[in-house]
């Protein structure tokens, strides 16, 4: 962590300059067939803030997000160059334990994807993977996680019912609880509210604002209002490039680049 | 009008009708087949009335007794030389089962219905099912014990009912004696034979090994003497039992008026169908059905039961399932989850799919060449050298048949497994991986449980295919008549090297290889029906099992999951 890199993050609305959590330098990504999804992306994600990635479809937002937990590793013939650092450590280094990385960097997907198991077992899944067997400890963490995801009161009477019986919004909060259960540092939300009804979306947004006290959150969204509502910082991407990154207020009121302004005002994208 | 036809075509209704029609046709064919097999096969066990008549078609007119087995209408020109300009019309003829094969030579005959006179159904006419020579039809004329005539106790007229009852009580006695004989042969004598064979092999091993073996040989000789003594004792007892069982004979007056004497020990069942009400008929029906399902075949498989075939089929299918399931599932998991996506994997996948289309007789050839001659021969040389040149594993048998069929059905299981794994949503895999699970943990905890029902479906299909397969089995282990069951009470209980009987082959044997085609026909239908029933039962049980697994999986969701 060099001192100079702090300057990339402008002070937030309260005038506090946050510390960096995730940083990318020169990050490029090519899929099979030489399709370039990311081109020399330079981005610094602030710790315990909400950062929104916006941009037109196919601009590389999701590809970037999936670089943070190395989920792109599963894609055949996907070539990644450049560096991604989590708390100053390169996560693409040879000796990195990918499963540990994925525990630290949790991800919530666009569509709710609970396992076809009970609510309880969904939340306990990551814990059982880690070898936690104590019933008391499992109960404790399951309750904590469900509470943190604002779902506990709705499901506490039916923990052992199938997760598939929940509504879409509840399922998405269950997935968030499942991710929180393994105590991650970063939460990646990939358009996680886009498949939900307005009330559920609102609940998720409230939850995000609540969670940022403890977690670094990165959301990908197509919904500019949503980005304006919940994000502290916003990054605008286009054609695999990082066009502009600043506090949300500045991006939405006084963008530097013309492309950003055109996108924000709806003339482009 | 034209407009409305076009409208009707546009509405898609014709397609619905065509689809529904095709589905109906399929159903009709399936049920029609089952109905045919069921009626022809299961109807065979119902006691048929026996007629007595004078046949004027013979010269001189003959008195005949028999059951109507079939009837048909034929063109008279086929029977008599046609006279030009004269229409002879059609003639009805009947196939009569006359029985008494030992006396008259043949037991079936076509007669012209119009030439039968004085047709009657006397209630005292008896049908005697025998261990040899098929049925005997006639009137019970007398009983003899050790050559002396027996007058039933309490008989007022000395004939009729009392004599018939006496016959049955003597039949019961003979049955008990036979059971005792069979028990001795099956357990005690088999034990002695097994022990003697073990001694012989031990001696050969000693000889093959060389060195000083005098002490061991002496010990063997002592044991052999004890076996010999045991055997001599048992033999005496068997002789005595055989003398007792031959004591009684029965006299029957048959169609031509002559009297025949047969040992009561040869009678399986005796009844008088013309005088029976439906309760008695039902009793006879179920007695025959039970014998069919639980008895051994008689009369070159044309009579009796097919327990050995039923048993052999089930054993083979089970052994095959045990082999093919792990192999197919593991191969499917590898191909679908771990194999790199390249041309080599593609070639393997195409090959697996093509294996499913290889004619089954080719698998039989492969099994014969590779498993039996190569693998079996090698096993014999390595582990059973003492019993050579008689082969132990180097000969067709249950194990090789199961292995061959496992190979035959492997593609089905692999393809089903791959399909099941492929159907697991990618989002669930990603969810698991994103939580920090390894690829194996994801496979084990998320993917495999979801793919389990489709793997089971693959196994169902494999079992159904294997149970109905005949061609390869003829090369690798199925026989017309097996002396013993592949799983019995003799150590080591399961005999994978033995040849066995199989329902499919049994049908083939009855339908085409029987010396007495008319007699074998009903049995062939009944066996085919049983084969279909077994396959259906296997499928149903697998479906039920799959439903249970699903339920348990659901239950596991709600409880502890480990």
């Amino acid at each position: 962590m060099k001192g100079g890199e702090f300057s990339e993050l402008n002070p937030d609305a309260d005038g506090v300059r946050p510390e960096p959590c995730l940083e990318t330098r020169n990050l490029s990504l090519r899929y099979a067939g030489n399709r370039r999804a990311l081109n020399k992306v330079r981005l610094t994600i602030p710790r315990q803030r909400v950062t929104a990635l916006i941009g037109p479809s196919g601009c590389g937002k999701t590809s970037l997000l999936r670089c943070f937990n190395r989920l792109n590793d599963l894609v055949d013939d996907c070539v990644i160059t450049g560096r991604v650092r989590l708390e100053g450590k390169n996560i693409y280094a040879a000796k990195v334990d990918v499963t540990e990385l994925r525990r630290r960097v949790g991800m919530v997907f666009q569509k709710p994807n609970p396992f076809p198991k009970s609510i309880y077992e969904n939340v306990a899944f990551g814990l059982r993977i880690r070898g936690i067997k104590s019933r008391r400890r499992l109960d404790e963490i399951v309750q904590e996680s469900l509470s943190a995801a604002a779902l506990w009161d709705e499901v506490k009477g039916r923990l052992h019912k199938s997760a598939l019986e929940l509504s879409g919004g509840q399922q998405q909060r269950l997935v968030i609880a499942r991710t929180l259960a393994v105590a991650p540092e970063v939460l990646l939300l990939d358009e996680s509210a886009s498949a939900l009804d307005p009330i559920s979306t609102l609940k998720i947004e409230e939850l995000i604002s609540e969670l940022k006290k403890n977690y670094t959150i990165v959301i990908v969204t197509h919904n500019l209002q949503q980005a304006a509502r919940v994000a502290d910082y916003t990054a605008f991407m286009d054609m695999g490039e990082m066009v502009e990154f600043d506090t949300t207020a500045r991006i939405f009121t006084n963008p530097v680049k013309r492309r950003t302004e055109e996108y924000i005002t709806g003339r482009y994208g | 009008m034209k407009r409305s036809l076009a409208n009707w075509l546009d509405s898609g209704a014709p397609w619905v009708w065509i689809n529904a029609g095709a589905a109906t046709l399929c159903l009709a064919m399936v049920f029609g087949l089952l109905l045919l097999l069921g009626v022809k096969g299961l109807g065979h066990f119902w006691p048929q009335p026996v007629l007595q008549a004078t046949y004027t078609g013979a010269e001189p007119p003959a008195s005949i007794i028999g059951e109507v087995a079939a009837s048909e209408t034929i063109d008279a020109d086929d029977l008599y030389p046609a006279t030009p300009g004269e229409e002879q019309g059609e003639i009805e003829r009947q196939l009569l089962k006359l029985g008494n094969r030992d006396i008259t030579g043949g037991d079936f005959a076509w007669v012209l219905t119009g030439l039968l006179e004085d047709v009657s159904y006397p209630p005292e006419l008896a049908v005697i099912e025998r261990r040899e020579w098929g049925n005997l039809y006639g009137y019970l004329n007398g009983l003899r014990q050790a050559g002396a005539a027996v007058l039933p106790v309490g008989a007022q007229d000395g004939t009729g009912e009392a004599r018939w009852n006496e016959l049955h009580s003597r039949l019961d006695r003979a049955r008990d004696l036979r059971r005792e004989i069979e028990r001795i042969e099956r357990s005690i004598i088999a034990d002695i034979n097994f022990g003697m064979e073990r001694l012989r092999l031990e001696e050969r091993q000693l000889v093959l090994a060389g060195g000083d073996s005098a002490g061991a040989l002496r010990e063997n000789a002592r044991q052999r003497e004890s076996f010999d003594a045991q055997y001599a004792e048992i033999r005496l007892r068997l002789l005595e039992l055989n003398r007792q069982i031959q004591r009684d004979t029965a006299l029957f007056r048959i169609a031509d008026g002559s009297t025949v004497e047969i040992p009561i020990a040869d009678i399986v069942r005796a009844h008088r169908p013309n005088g029976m009400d439906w309760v008695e008929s039902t009793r006879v029906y179920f007695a025959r059905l039970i014998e069919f399902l639980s008895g051994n075949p008689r009369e070159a498989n044309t009579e009796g039961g097919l327990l050995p075939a039923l048993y052999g089929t089930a054993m083979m299918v089970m052994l095959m399932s045990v082999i093919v399931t792990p192999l197919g599932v593991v191969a499917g998991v590898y191909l679908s989850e771990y194999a790199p996506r390249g041309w080599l994997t593609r070639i393997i996948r195409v090959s697996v799919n093509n294996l499913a289309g290889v004619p089954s007789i080719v698998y039989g050839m492969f099994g014969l060449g590779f498993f039996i001659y190569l693998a079996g021969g090698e096993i014999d040389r390595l582990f059973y050298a003492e019993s050579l040149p008689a082969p132990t594993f180097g000969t067709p048998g249950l194990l090789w048949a199961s292995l061959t069929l496992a190979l035959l059905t492997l593609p089905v299981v692999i393809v089903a497994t791959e399909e099941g794994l492929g159907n697991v949503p990618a989002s669930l895999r990603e969810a698991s991986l994103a939580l920090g699970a390894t690829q194996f943990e994801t496979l084990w905890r998320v993917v495999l449980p979801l793919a389990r029902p489709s793997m089971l479906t693959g196994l169902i299909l494999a079992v159904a295919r294997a149970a109905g397969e005949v061609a390869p089995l003829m090369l690798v282990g199925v026989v017309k008549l097996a002396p013993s069951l592949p799983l019995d009470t003799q150590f080591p209980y399961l005999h994978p090297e033995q040849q066995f009987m199989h329902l499919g082959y049994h049908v083939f044997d009855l339908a085409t290889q029987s010396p007495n085609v008319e007699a074998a026909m009903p049995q062939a239908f009944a066996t085919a029906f049983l084969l279909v029933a077994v396959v259906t039962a296997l499928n149903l049980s697998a479906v039920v099992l799959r439903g249970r697994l699903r339920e348990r999986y659901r239950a596991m969701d709600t409880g502890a999951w480990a």
Side-chain angles (χ1 to χ4, degrees), chain B residues 423-457:
Chain B
N423 283 340
V424 174
S427 68
L428 289 183
R429 295 166 190 263
E430 286 187 342
S432 169
L433 291 167
L435 284 168
T438 61
Q439 198 184 353
F440 177 75
E441 284 163 340
T442 302
L443 180 70
W444 194 250
R445 300 195 164 215
V446 177
V447 179
L448 278 185
L450 284 172
R452 207 153 36 177
S454 90
M455 291 176 199
L456 211 55
T457 311

Side-chain angles (χ1 to χ4, degrees), chain B residues 19-33:
Chain B
N19 292 346
T24 313
L25 195 67
C26 289
L27 272 182
M29 272 155 57
V30 168
F31 283 110
L33 177 79

Side-chain angles (χ1 to χ4, degrees), chain B residues 328-329 331-337 349 352-353 410-426 429 447-448 450-459 461 546:
Chain B
V329 167
V333 166
Y334 176 77
L335 278 180
S336 154
E337 301 286 312
R349 194 164 285 137
V352 166
N353 284 326
L410 192 60
V412 182
V413 178
I414 292 182
V415 168
T417 304
E418 275 204 84
E419 224 166 60
L421 293 174
N423 283 340
V424 174
R429 295 166 190 263
V447 179
L448 278 185
L450 284 172
R452 207 153 36 177
S454 90
M455 291 176 199
L456 211 55
T457 311
L459 183 63
L461 294 175
R546 182 168 62 161

Side-chain angles (χ1 to χ4, degrees), chain A residues 66 74 102 113 116-118 160, chain B residues 427 430 433-434 436 557-558 561:
Chain A
R66 290 162 76 102
L74 304 173
R102 290 187 186 141
N113 55 357
K117 306 172 189 293
S118 69
H160 297 293
Chain B
S427 68
E430 286 187 342
L433 291 167
D557 290 343
T558 65
W561 185 76

